[in-house]
Amino acid sequence: MSFSKRCKKEVLKKEPIDPLAELLSVFHFIGSLRISDGGYKIIFKTYSNTEARYIYNLIRDIYDYSPVFEIKDMGKDRLFTVLIEDSDISEDLFDKSSSFFINTDENLEDISLEYIKSFIKSAFVFKGSINDPMRGYNLEIACNSQEEASLIESALDVFELKPKINAKKDSYVVYIKDSDKISDFLAIIEANKSLFELEDVRAMKSIRNDINRQTNFDKANIDRTVNASLRQVDAINVLIEAGEYENLSADMKELADVRIENPYASIEELGLMIVPPMSKSKVNYRLQKFIKMAEDL
């Protein structure tokens, strides 16, 4: 499952930020109104079972009414339909939608933050996507019109997310590429697990970038230190795999454990981690001894 799908599934498993605001937002994005002799019917269609179940639960909890839930095979995919056949409920939902802020000219400064959060959460779930952070940072929401794109841009800007709009012919995409702002967005829609995953990748990339910057500053010294450390760790692992670790003295075992747990620590730092502290020359001598023992196996 992609990072984007995991993220959407995570937020759909949580309690709604504001149930009615989310249902009205979903109606805006994927709902449709059908008028017949018997009155109004509202239909939601999606290829995601999770999304369909979420919509079903919103309707049930808000109106104490169980809508029709249909599944239709479409070759490799399945189309899920949630249908409100009750004309009074359909009319009520339609009337509320007409006065909801996304269909009015109200200033967003006068709108509840919970409403705006519900709107941008629904926009992401039903019209958006987010890149796997390992492949880059990009969150985008597809829009049907320039007006819709401008509204989503303004809603995101309420939280200072600094989105941009990419317009191509008749298609519009609101996007965010700044990793800090994407993290903020995930926090706003309460996608905490996805947020932690993103932050882990950012931290790893930050460490790599720091190493690269340091390498550029003093490449020869860093390379020498890192290569020596990895060589020492490799030697210790060879001794462990060969069963020679158990034959080491207590102080050698302690140093071996400290080096494996701290592969990038300097010789001086390793010495300070030993109890009692060990001088740099003694630490270096023993580390070189690990390498010699491994080479002799």
Side-chain angles (χ1 to χ4, degrees):
M1 184 183 297
S2 69
F3 179 76
S4 187
K5 287 184 178 180
R6 292 199 305 274
C7 183
K8 292 180 181 183
K9 192 171 184 178
E10 177 189 356
V11 296
L12 290 176
K13 284 186 174 181
K14 294 191 173 184
E15 292 296 316
I17 297 173
D18 183 289
L20 180 58
E22 288 195 21
L23 181 58
L24 294 175
S25 298
V26 174
F27 176 59
H28 170 79
F29 288 115
I30 67 166
S32 61
L33 179 69
R34 179 183 296 172
I35 302 176
S36 63
D37 294 337
Y40 294 119
K41 293 182 181 180
I42 286 181
I43 304 171
F44 301 89
K45 293 186 177 182
T46 174
Y47 287 97
S48 166
N49 182 41
T50 304
E51 292 174 5
R53 293 291 177 187
Y54 191 76
I55 296 168
Y56 178 94
N57 290 333
L58 284 175
I59 297 168
R60 182 196 60 193
D61 294 343
I62 293 170
Y63 288 105
D64 192 24
Y65 164 81
S66 296
V68 175
F69 192 95
E70 299 177 343
I71 305 173
K72 183 178 181 181
D73 287 327
M74 305 288 288
K76 293 182 179 179
D77 298 316
R78 291 195 297 174
L79 178 64
F80 299 88
T81 300
V82 180
L83 172 63
I84 301 177
E85 292 185 312
D86 187 292
S87 183
D88 291 336
I89 293 176
S90 296
E91 186 173 357
D92 180 74
L93 181 59
F94 179 74
D95 289 343
K96 283 184 170 62
S97 173
S98 299
S99 60
F100 194 46
F101 79 92
I102 58 180
N103 294 313
T104 67
D105 295 326
E106 290 182 77
N107 192 316
L108 289 182
E109 293 181 356
D110 301 325
I111 305 301
S112 160
L113 288 180
E114 300 304 296
Y115 280 16
I116 299 175
K117 287 180 182 179
S118 297
F119 174 61
I120 62 176
K121 169 188 171 181
S122 300
F124 167 69
V125 170
F126 293 93
K127 303 292 285 186
S129 64
I130 182 172
N131 277 12
D132 185 323
M134 289 295 293
R135 299 180 179 179
Y137 304 114
N138 184 58
L139 183 150
E140 59 183 43
I141 298 171
C143 305
N144 294 324
S145 65
Q146 184 174 2
E147 291 74 19
E148 184 177 77
S150 296
L151 176 61
I152 293 174
E153 179 189 32
S154 298
L156 293 170
D157 253 341
V158 169
F159 303 98
E160 300 182 351
L161 298 179
K162 298 181 179 179
K164 295 181 179 179
I165 297 178
N166 183 14
K168 292 184 178 180
K169 294 184 179 180
D170 295 329
S171 66
Y172 300 87
V173 175
V174 180
Y175 67 92
I176 303 172
K177 289 188 176 294
D178 186 296
S179 61
D180 285 329
K181 301 304 180 183
I182 293 176
S183 290
D184 291 343
F185 176 85
L186 294 178
I188 290 167
I189 66 171
E190 301 177 5
N192 299 324
K193 185 176 179 181
S194 298
L195 171 61
F196 292 147
E197 186 175 344
L198 174 66
E199 289 299 329
D200 283 344
V201 173
R202 291 182 67 202
M204 181 183 67
K205 288 185 176 181
S206 177
I207 292 173
R208 287 178 178 174
N209 290 337
D210 288 344
I211 292 176
N212 288 337
R213 281 193 292 268
Q214 184 63 32
T215 298
N216 292 333
F217 178 74
D218 193 359
K219 187 176 186 305
N221 184 54
I222 293 297
D223 284 349
R224 184 167 56 250
T225 301
V226 171
N227 290 336
S229 299
L230 294 178
R231 189 180 179 195
Q232 294 154 10
V233 170
D234 288 342
I236 294 169
N237 285 328
V238 168
L239 295 177
I240 292 173
E241 292 173 2
E244 293 297 324
Y245 174 83
E246 298 302 327
N247 297 328
L248 298 175
S249 62
D251 61 335
M252 290 284 281
K253 284 183 180 179
E254 183 179 9
L255 179 57
D257 293 341
V258 170
R259 169 46 91 198
I260 289 179
E261 293 171 1
N262 303 275
Y264 300 113
S266 67
I267 291 177
E268 183 178 3
E269 290 170 336
L270 290 175
L272 294 175
M273 296 176 190
I274 302 297
V275 181
M278 187 179 293
S279 68
K280 289 173 60 177
S281 61
K282 289 183 178 180
V283 171
N284 186 57
Y285 172 77
R286 285 164 172 74
L287 291 174
Q288 295 305 316
K289 189 173 181 179
F290 287 139
I291 294 173
K292 182 67 168 57
M293 292 172 65
E295 290 176 345
D296 289 343
L297 289 177

